Amino acid sequence: MGFLSSFLGILGFGIGLPLGLLVGFFFFIYSKPNEAEDPIVRPLNELDTSALEDLLPEIPLWVKNPDFDRVDWLNKVILEMWPYLSKAITGMIRSTAQPIFSEYIGKFQIETIEFESLSLGNLPPLLYGLKAYETNEKELVMETPVRWAGNPNITLVIKLLSLRITVQLVDLQIFSTARIALKPLVPSFPCFSNIVVSLMEKPHVDFGMKILGGDLMSIPGLYRFVQVLHRLAIKKPVGILRVNVVRAHKLLKKDLLGASDPYVKLSLTGEGLSAKKTTVKKKTLNPEWNENFKLVVKDPQSQVLRLQVFDWDKVGGHDRLGVQLIPLKLLTPYETKEFTLDLLKDTNISDSQDKKRRGQIEAELTFVPFKENNLKFSGPLVVYGRKESSDDKPSDDGALSGAGLLSVMLQGAEEVEGQSHNNPYALVLFRGERKKTKMIKRTRNPLWNDEFQFMLEEPPLHERIYVEVFSKRSRISFLSKESLGHVEINLSDVVSNGRINEKYHLINSKNGTIHVEMRWTTV
């Protein structure tokens, strides 16, 4: 029976296969295809708004906006120069990344970190139009959208516990709009002193990452997390929160004599800065402060003001009398809002274990956004390649007025060398305040990337900021600290331009330079 069934199966397959091919060939030859329909063609003026919005991004900028000129010739120049530019850029990447890699050697069981391959590929960035601005200054200002969807070959090798791990960056895309200013114009070649570069918007950065040959970004949720993290990392201050801590009522009794010594701590969520404090009011359960504070706001839709009332004690920790939270999204810009809130045991509002009345706190809050058009040409300016600050005073002092935020970013230093040791850190002195970066051990090219902020009631038009680089021993010694050089920076350029990004030669240093980025934003 088994033999018979096998024989019949083979026979059916042998007859069915040719028969099926014959029927298929018959339908292929004698069947008529459906007639192709002509696509619907409609003029632009008949399309609705959504259809036009979908179509316009694909049209070149020099077509949509006649102020932008075609720059095909410039893209051809960049294409010819790209092999040399790419080589120079990769050299800068290697020299910048090497000190960073050296910091992790010996940590987390990492033995070595090095580039296996580093190439930006043969596809250069493309400029999608060029627009020139007319100004009353001796300068040339241009704006251009830049897109780079390159084919770089960037592979990093990490040796961890004798294991060789490869990390590859793939599908890198960067879109942004750049503004270039050549200023001031001078009669000698190349006819300008500085190249000033700024980004008109946050750049769009997209990329993929492979580890050991596997696509890391294919993990569900990881790509979205990386993009959100990127946006948070580049988030800048958008305004100032003015807080007036007015008074408190009927606080808890913590001292034996029936009173407390209350004070208030203020802080914003999402910030690593230390909390601000009111003065201590002695022996009272109904303190009145009327003290004003200013805090930097980066995201008014998500940040929350935390108010904590403590009882000050000479010995031991200070007892917390209560806490309250005020979401900044409740505020209307420029309008002062008064709050009278019941103090809670902790931030867990649903906690029903403690119903004890802890008193109330009164506060007045005002959110003041930074002015969007407070900078010339509606954009921040970044200056590269200057070696010393300018003493020129801005010509429009009347327009540059009002309170604001001075942000100082110490990115790093180069060729700083001490006689006894090389563990550099930087110290910033301004208006009596001292700010210090982290210390980087055993390097002459430290990268700090530390940012400090100063709240000012008026622009620092005629002031200077002092920055000094020190080296400190990691162990106790008579020669524990030595200066590696210093610089005094005139802030008039920061106020007039809104933002500068410069490298300065350090005084009392042979070859040392320091990279400082500063931003002035008014309210």
Side-chain angles (χ1 to χ4, degrees):
M1 190 67 180
F3 172 78
L4 181 61
S5 62
S6 300
F7 175 75
L8 293 177
I10 295 173
L11 182 64
F13 177 78
I15 296 175
L17 181 61
L19 183 62
L21 292 175
L22 181 63
V23 173
F25 178 76
F26 174 79
F27 278 105
F28 176 75
I29 295 298
Y30 293 100
S31 61
K32 294 182 179 181
N34 296 328
E35 294 183 359
E37 298 181 358
D38 294 332
I40 300 175
V41 179
R42 298 170 60 188
L44 285 176
N45 58 2
E46 294 183 4
L47 297 178
D48 57 11
T49 303
S50 60
L52 286 174
E53 290 178 351
D54 294 337
L55 179 63
L56 285 177
E58 302 301 325
I59 299 177
L61 191 60
W62 51 268
V63 175
K64 294 189 295 183
N65 192 335
D67 292 338
F68 281 82
D69 300 321
R70 296 183 63 174
V71 287
D72 295 342
W73 64 272
L74 186 54
N75 285 323
K76 291 181 180 179
V77 172
I78 296 176
L79 178 62
E80 295 297 327
M81 294 178 60
W82 183 242
Y84 308 97
L85 292 174
S86 175
K87 185 176 180 180
I89 295 173
T90 54
M92 294 174 59
I93 294 176
R94 286 184 183 274
S95 61
T96 303
Q98 193 59 42
I100 300 176
F101 293 163
S102 62
E103 295 179 22
Y104 292 92
I105 303 301
K107 299 180 181 179
F108 313 110
Q109 305 299 321
I110 296 177
E111 298 180 9
T112 59
I113 305 177
E114 57 185 11
F115 286 107
E116 183 179 65
S117 59
L118 178 58
S119 171
L120 299 184
N122 56 2
L123 299 177
L126 295 178
L127 307 182
Y128 282 73
L130 186 66
K131 179 179 180 180
Y133 287 88
E134 294 183 2
T135 71
N136 295 326
E137 306 291 336
K138 294 181 179 180
E139 58 187 356
L140 175 62
V141 181
M142 300 167 288
E143 183 178 319
T144 176
V146 182
R147 296 185 180 182
W148 185 40
N151 55 347
N153 181 16
I154 303 175
T155 305
L156 197 66
V157 177
I158 304 174
K159 193 172 182 181
L160 176 65
L161 293 175
S162 300
L163 298 177
R164 191 173 182 271
I165 302 175
T166 59
V167 181
Q168 185 180 12
L169 185 69
V170 296
D171 300 330
L172 179 63
Q173 300 182 30
I174 301 176
F175 303 153
S176 187
T177 300
R179 174 168 287 166
I180 305 170
L182 309 178
K183 68 175 192 177
L185 300 180
V186 295
S188 58
F189 186 81
C191 302
F192 58 89
S193 297
N194 301 306
I195 299 179
V196 181
V197 181
S198 65
L199 295 181
M200 305 305 298
E201 58 188 11
K202 287 190 284 190
H204 170 79
V205 181
D206 196 1
F207 61 91
M209 187 175 294
K210 292 183 178 181
I211 295 182
L212 297 175
D215 188 0
L216 185 65
M217 292 303 172
S218 63
I219 299 176
L222 182 59
Y223 177 80
R224 179 178 177 83
F225 171 77
V226 171
Q227 291 296 326
V228 171
L229 187 64
H230 168 71
R231 288 194 295 269
L232 292 177
I234 62 176
K235 189 171 292 185
K236 296 295 183 180
V238 297
I240 292 177
L241 178 66
R242 294 174 175 171
V243 183
N244 178 23
V245 181
V246 183
R247 62 180 64 89
H249 304 283
K250 299 179 181 180
L251 298 177
L252 286 179
K253 299 178 181 179
K254 286 292 184 177
D255 292 346
L256 297 177
L257 299 179
S260 296
D261 302 323
Y263 69 94
V264 181
K265 277 187 177 182
L266 307 88
S267 61
L268 279 176
T269 58
E271 291 288 341
L273 303 176
S274 57
K276 297 181 180 293
K277 300 178 183 179
T278 67
T279 57
V280 178
K281 299 299 181 182
K282 296 289 187 177
K283 306 301 179 183
T284 178
L285 299 180
N286 300 283
E288 186 163 346
W289 290 285
N290 275 317
E291 297 180 14
N292 295 286
F293 302 88
K294 294 179 181 179
L295 298 94
V296 179
V297 178
K298 292 185 177 180
D299 189 355
Q301 294 300 315
S302 63
Q303 286 187 288
V304 175
L305 174 67
R306 181 194 299 266
L307 298 171
Q308 301 181 84
V309 183
F310 286 87
D311 175 30
W312 181 85
D313 288 320
K314 287 185 178 181
V315 181
H318 301 173
D319 298 323
R320 190 167 71 179
L321 303 179
V323 62
Q324 256 298 352
L325 303 176
I326 303 178
L328 301 192
K329 62 183 179 181
L330 301 178
L331 305 177
T332 302
Y334 305 107
E335 294 184 7
T336 301
K337 191 169 184 178
E338 300 178 357
F339 292 88
T340 301
L341 305 170
D342 293 330
L343 292 171
L344 307 174
K345 178 183 178 182
D346 51 43
T347 56
N348 185 9
I349 301 177
S350 61
D351 187 4
S352 59
Q353 296 181 0
D354 189 355
K355 295 294 185 180
K356 185 186 299 183
R357 295 187 63 84
R358 297 176 174 272
Q360 294 180 323
I361 186 170
E362 294 184 21
E364 298 174 353
L365 275 64
T366 308
F367 172 58
V368 183
F370 291 135
K371 295 178 181 178
E372 296 181 358
N373 298 321
N374 65 322
L375 306 179
K376 293 182 179 180
F377 311 114
S378 304
L381 299 180
V382 187
V383 183
Y384 294 96
R386 300 187 60 179
K387 299 304 181 183
E388 58 183 17
S389 61
S390 170
D391 290 330
D392 298 335
K393 302 297 185 293
S395 59
D396 51 350
D397 287 3
L400 301 172
S401 61
L405 177 71
L406 176 65
S407 299
V408 180
M409 168 75 80
L410 298 184
Q411 296 189 2
E414 297 178 359
E415 298 298 327
V416 291
E417 185 175 4
Q419 296 180 356
S420 305
H421 38 75
N422 289 302
N423 303 314
Y425 68 93
L427 183 68
V428 180
L429 300 178
F430 182 65
R431 289 191 175 183
E433 291 190 58
R434 299 166 60 93
K435 309 284 188 178
K436 188 170 69 172
T437 69
K438 56 182 174 288
M439 183 179 67
I440 308 298
K441 295 182 179 180
R442 295 184 296 277
T443 180
R444 298 197 310 170
N445 303 290
L447 292 174
W448 299 300
N449 289 321
D450 285 344
E451 183 175 7
F452 309 108
Q453 297 170 342
F454 302 91
M455 290 279 196
L456 305 178
E457 294 296 334
E458 58 184 14
L461 284 171
H462 311 295
E463 298 186 60
R464 294 173 177 266
I465 193 168
Y466 182 86
V467 182
E468 187 167 6
V469 181
F470 290 93
S471 178
K472 185 178 180 180
R473 281 195 185 276
S474 57
R475 60 182 185 274
I476 299 176
S477 172
F478 292 105
L479 299 175
S480 60
K481 183 175 70 173
E482 62 175 300
S483 175
L484 306 184
H486 69 274
V487 65
E488 279 190 296
I489 305 172
N490 194 303
L491 298 179
S492 61
D493 282 348
V494 185
V495 177
S496 59
N497 292 333
R499 180 185 175 194
I500 64 172
N501 191 337
E502 306 184 8
K503 287 186 178 181
Y504 299 91
H505 280 303
L506 290 170
I507 300 173
N508 295 333
S509 176
K510 184 178 180 181
N511 298 311
T513 61
I514 187 168
H515 191 175
V516 182
E517 178 182 354
M518 288 186 287
R519 182 192 299 268
W520 169 252
T521 316
T522 60
V523 296

